[in-house]
Amino acid sequence: MTIIIIILVAMIIGLLIYNITIHKKIEQFNALNRQANNLRVLQDFLTTIGETSSVDEKLQKINDILIEKYEIKYSTIVVFDGTEYQIKASNVDKKHWDTLKKLQEVPIFKDSVATATPKYITVNNDKEKLPYQESEFARAKSAIFFPIYEENVYIGYWIIESGVPHDFDNIDTTIFEVIKDNIVSVLRTVVHQRTLESIVRKDLFTGLYSEEYLYGEGKKIIDKYTTSAVCMFRIMNIEEINEKYSRQMGNETIIQVSDYIKNNIVEEYLFIRYMGPKFVIVFSGVDPDSAVGFIKNRKIDLEKMNIAQKKENFEEIDIEKTGKRKTTKKSKKPEIVNPRLNFVVTTYYKGTGMEEVLKKLEQYLDNCDKSESTITTI
C-alpha cells in the first residue's frame, strides 16, 4: 500500500513538473509569436513608409494595419500640426471626430499627457458612458489613451476603443507601447515628405512646378516604372541675353522655351523648373536612348526659335524750326535672340534618391564649358 502511495505521489509530482514545463513552453511560444507578429507589423509599417503615397494616406494605412493585426475595434491617430489638432487616421465615423480632436482637453487625460503615460478607462454597464463622450453612448465602452511624444515634445495622441466594457482589463499594454513607438517612428520618417508636400509651388513665369514636386506627387507617377530617364537642360546663353539685351528678354526666352516643351511632351512625362535657367524632364518608364531621340528633335526646333521681346512704343521728339515741340509715336524694332541649350541625361532607378540624381546632373551642367550645346548621357 505504501509503495502504491509513493508511486502515485511520484506520478503526481511528475505530472506537475510536466505541466509546469509545458506551461513555460507555451508562454515562450506565445512570447515568440507576439514578437514575430510585432516584427510583421513593423515590416508592414516600413513597406508603407516606402510606398509612393501622401503622408496622410500612409498614416491611414498604418492605422488599418493596427486594426487588422491586433483586432482593435476603433483606432484614431491625432497629431498637432503646429496650429491645431488634426485626425490623421481613424476608422471612427466622422460625426465623432470633433470630440476625438479635443481629448487633450478632457481632465481625465490631462494627467496622462503631463506624465507621458497611457490612461485606461472603461464603464461597468451599457447605461454608462466614457468621460469624453458627448452624444454617443453605444459606440465605445473601453478606451486606452496613449500620448505621443517626439524627443520629449508632445505632438498628439493615439486612442484605441472597444464597444465592450472592461475589454482591455487584462491586455498587455507593453505591446501597444511598442506600437506607439512605431507610430512615432513613422511620423518622424514622413515629416520630410510632409514638408515637401506643403512647399510645392508653381513658378510665376512658366507655370511649372518646382523641384519639390518630384519628391511628392510626381514620385507617384515616376515610381510606376522600374527605371526612367531623367534629363536636365540649361539655357546656356541666358546671362548673355540678360546683359546684352535686357532682363525682360531673358524672361521671355525662359517663358517661350518652357511653353514649347510643355506643348510637346505627353502627360506621363514630368516637366519642372529646377532653378533659374535649369529645367528637368522626367521621361517616366523610358530608357535614356529613347529620351535622347526625343530631345534631339526638340533641341533643333528650340535653337531655331526667334525670340523677340514684346514690341514697345516710344515718343520721338522733334523741335521744328519754329521752336515748337512735335512728338511722333513710333514702334521700336524688336531685338531677336536664339536660345542655346545644353542637355544631360541619366537613368533613375525606382527606390533610389531622386535628389542625388538631380545633383549629379546639375554638377555636370555647372562644370561643363559655357559654350557647350549638346546632348550628353552620363
Side-chain angles (χ1 to χ4, degrees):
M1 187 68 179
T2 304
I3 296 173
I4 294 174
I5 293 172
I6 292 172
I7 293 172
L8 288 173
V9 170
M11 290 177 62
I12 291 170
I13 292 172
L15 287 171
L16 286 172
I17 293 172
Y18 177 76
N19 286 336
I20 291 170
T21 304
I22 292 297
H23 181 70
K24 286 182 178 179
K25 287 183 177 180
I26 290 172
E27 285 186 337
Q28 290 173 352
F29 175 78
N30 288 336
L32 289 172
N33 192 46
R34 285 194 298 270
Q35 290 176 1
N37 190 47
N38 288 338
L39 287 173
R40 285 194 294 269
V41 171
L42 181 57
Q43 181 60 51
D44 289 341
F45 278 13
L46 295 174
T47 301
T48 300
I49 292 172
E51 289 178 349
T52 54
S53 56
S54 69
V55 172
D56 289 346
E57 288 172 338
K58 287 177 180 177
L59 288 173
Q60 184 59 57
K61 185 166 184 180
I62 284 168
N63 200 52
D64 293 339
I65 291 170
L66 297 176
I67 292 165
E68 177 188 353
K69 300 295 184 182
Y70 294 103
E71 298 181 351
I72 300 170
K73 180 67 175 176
Y74 301 109
S75 176
T76 302
I77 300 171
V78 181
V79 176
F80 183 66
D81 67 357
T83 57
E84 62 180 355
Y85 286 86
Q86 292 190 350
I87 291 182
K88 291 298 181 181
S90 182
N91 66 327
V92 177
D93 193 298
K94 287 190 176 182
K95 65 183 179 181
H96 302 306
W97 281 19
D98 285 340
T99 299
L100 291 172
K101 285 193 296 184
K102 299 183 292 185
L103 297 186
Q104 75 283 347
E105 300 172 4
V106 178
I108 199 167
F109 294 136
K110 285 185 177 180
D111 183 61
S112 177
V113 172
T115 59
T117 56
K119 181 67 177 180
Y120 172 41
I121 56 175
T122 187
V123 297
N124 294 315
N125 56 66
D126 290 338
K127 293 181 180 180
E128 295 181 274
K129 67 175 183 176
L130 297 173
Y132 61 87
Q133 292 178 317
E134 295 175 357
S135 59
E136 49 176 328
F137 291 92
R139 186 181 66 82
K141 296 300 179 183
S142 304
I144 306 179
F145 176 91
F146 298 91
I148 298 176
Y149 279 78
E150 184 178 1
E151 297 181 353
N152 298 321
V153 177
Y154 174 64
I155 61 169
Y157 50 88
W158 172 44
I159 184 169
I160 59 174
E161 301 170 289
S162 169
V164 180
H166 296 279
D167 199 25
F168 301 131
D169 284 5
N170 300 314
I171 200 163
D172 183 4
T173 57
T174 57
I175 294 175
F176 291 105
E177 283 291 333
V178 172
I179 296 171
K180 185 197 69 176
D181 291 340
N182 288 334
I183 292 173
V184 173
S185 298
V186 170
L187 290 171
R188 187 183 299 117
T189 303
V190 299
V191 68
H192 179 59
Q193 181 184 341
R194 186 189 299 116
T195 302
L196 289 174
E197 288 175 357
S198 65
I199 64 175
V200 171
R201 64 194 185 284
K202 280 193 174 182
D203 177 60
L204 293 176
F205 284 113
T206 63
L208 299 174
Y209 282 115
S210 61
E211 170 194 354
E212 292 79 14
Y213 180 77
L214 296 180
Y215 309 134
E217 287 299 310
K219 198 170 187 294
K220 295 180 184 179
I221 299 172
I222 300 167
D223 281 356
K224 290 178 182 177
Y225 307 93
T226 304
T227 61
S228 297
V230 181
C231 165
M232 184 180 290
F233 71 89
R234 187 184 193 279
I235 304 174
M236 299 301 287
N237 60 337
I238 194 70
E239 290 85 2
E240 178 187 336
I241 293 170
N242 287 338
E243 291 173 9
K244 186 176 180 180
Y245 301 97
S246 67
R247 176 75 64 174
Q248 289 74 19
M249 179 71 91
N251 290 340
E252 187 64 27
T253 302
I254 287 172
I255 291 169
Q256 291 200 32
V257 167
S258 63
D259 282 347
Y260 176 87
I261 298 289
K262 277 192 294 186
N263 294 330
N264 285 275
I265 60 172
V266 298
E267 187 177 348
E268 198 75 359
Y269 299 164
L270 305 184
F271 181 40
I272 61 107
R273 186 175 184 183
Y274 184 72
M275 187 182 299
K278 297 174 192 149
F279 297 81
V280 171
I281 308 172
V282 180
F283 298 90
S284 308
V286 176
D287 63 87
D289 289 340
S290 299
V292 167
F294 171 88
I295 294 166
K296 281 181 180 177
N297 294 329
R298 305 291 86 76
K299 185 176 188 296
I300 292 170
D301 292 342
L302 283 165
E303 293 185 338
K304 285 181 179 178
M305 187 182 289
N306 292 322
I307 298 176
Q309 192 171 340
K310 293 178 180 178
K311 291 182 180 181
E312 294 180 354
N313 292 328
F314 68 98
E315 290 184 346
E316 184 181 76
I317 301 173
D318 181 26
I319 305 297
E320 296 180 344
K321 292 180 181 180
T322 58
K324 291 182 179 180
R325 181 186 179 96
K326 182 182 178 183
T327 60
T328 306
K329 292 280 186 180
K330 289 193 175 183
S331 178
K332 185 179 179 180
K333 185 178 180 180
E335 301 284 358
I336 302 296
V337 299
N338 304 104
R340 189 174 71 251
L341 308 176
N342 197 23
F343 292 80
V344 59
V345 185
T346 193
T347 303
Y348 166 76
Y349 297 91
K350 179 180 177 179
T352 60
M354 175 64 76
E355 63 276 10
E356 295 301 322
V357 172
L358 297 180
K359 189 183 298 182
K360 180 173 70 172
L361 298 178
E362 184 180 27
Q363 286 174 345
Y364 177 87
L365 290 176
D366 287 345
N367 296 324
C368 70
D369 190 288
K370 298 303 179 185
S371 63
E372 183 176 311
S373 176
T374 185
I375 303 169
T376 305
T377 303
I378 61 175

